[in-house]
Amino acid sequence: MSTFPLRIGTPDGLLYEGNVERVVCRSISGDLAILARHCNFCTALGMGEASVVMEDGTRRTAACIGGMLSVMNGTCRLLATTWEWKEDIDVPRAEEAKKRAEAMIAKGGLTDHEYKIAEAKLQRALVRLSVKQ
């Protein structure tokens, strides 16, 4: 299968650079797959599971929490707010974050802003736990 160059970065730095067969992730308008020779494209990323099929055919999975993806002249650049490879996800930490967010929501009395923050924290924890399973 054909490959294309991919760069994955976060605000903390470059996480991956190399040729891949496919990138699958969630955009704000739904799931998408990028293959070699994709047209120029740019989209905002949502929260969800992402996967990368490497040049050798192996598949790596990650939790992707927001960001941007662009394809320009055959090169794909993915700048994620948070990108955690499956093997790097700390399950006890994600479970604790889930419990804290659920407790905040259950407590009630939150402003709209506080509720949205608690919901986002819960969603991030659920994405991490889902990817790890």
Side-chain angles (χ1 to χ4, degrees), residues 41-59:
F41 182 75
C42 184
T43 188
L45 296 174
M47 268 192 256
E49 182 176 316
S51 65
V52 178
V53 178
M54 303 300 186
E55 196 168 20
D56 64 4
T58 59
R59 181 178 171 195

Side-chain angles (χ1 to χ4, degrees), residues 61-129:
T61 306
C64 178
I65 313 294
M68 294 294 295
L69 178 141
S70 69
V71 180
M72 291 298 294
N73 303 322
T75 298
C76 183
R77 291 177 182 86
L78 194 154
L79 180 59
T81 305
T82 302
W83 180 278
E84 289 180 89
W85 292 112
K86 179 179 181 175
E87 60 270 18
D88 297 332
I89 294 173
D90 183 340
V91 172
R93 183 173 166 246
E95 286 173 345
E96 187 57 38
K98 178 180 176 261
K99 287 177 191 171
R100 282 193 311 270
E102 288 173 336
M104 279 179 68
I105 292 167
K107 181 178 79 170
L110 302 174
T111 65
D112 285 345
H113 180 70
E114 291 168 334
Y115 182 79
K116 287 178 184 176
I117 289 172
E119 275 287 314
K121 288 179 179 184
L122 177 59
Q123 188 63 33
R124 284 193 297 269
L126 292 172
V127 167
R128 287 181 174 107
L129 292 170

Side-chain angles (χ1 to χ4, degrees), residues 17-55:
E17 183 171 25
N19 288 332
V20 299
E21 289 183 3
R22 180 179 348 158
V23 176
V24 179
C25 56
R26 178 154 300 148
S27 76
I28 58 171
S29 58
D31 291 349
L32 62 92
I34 304 295
L35 300 168
R37 294 182 286 285
H38 196 288
C39 65
N40 290 346
F41 182 75
C42 184
T43 188
L45 296 174
M47 268 192 256
E49 182 176 316
S51 65
V52 178
V53 178
M54 303 300 186
E55 196 168 20

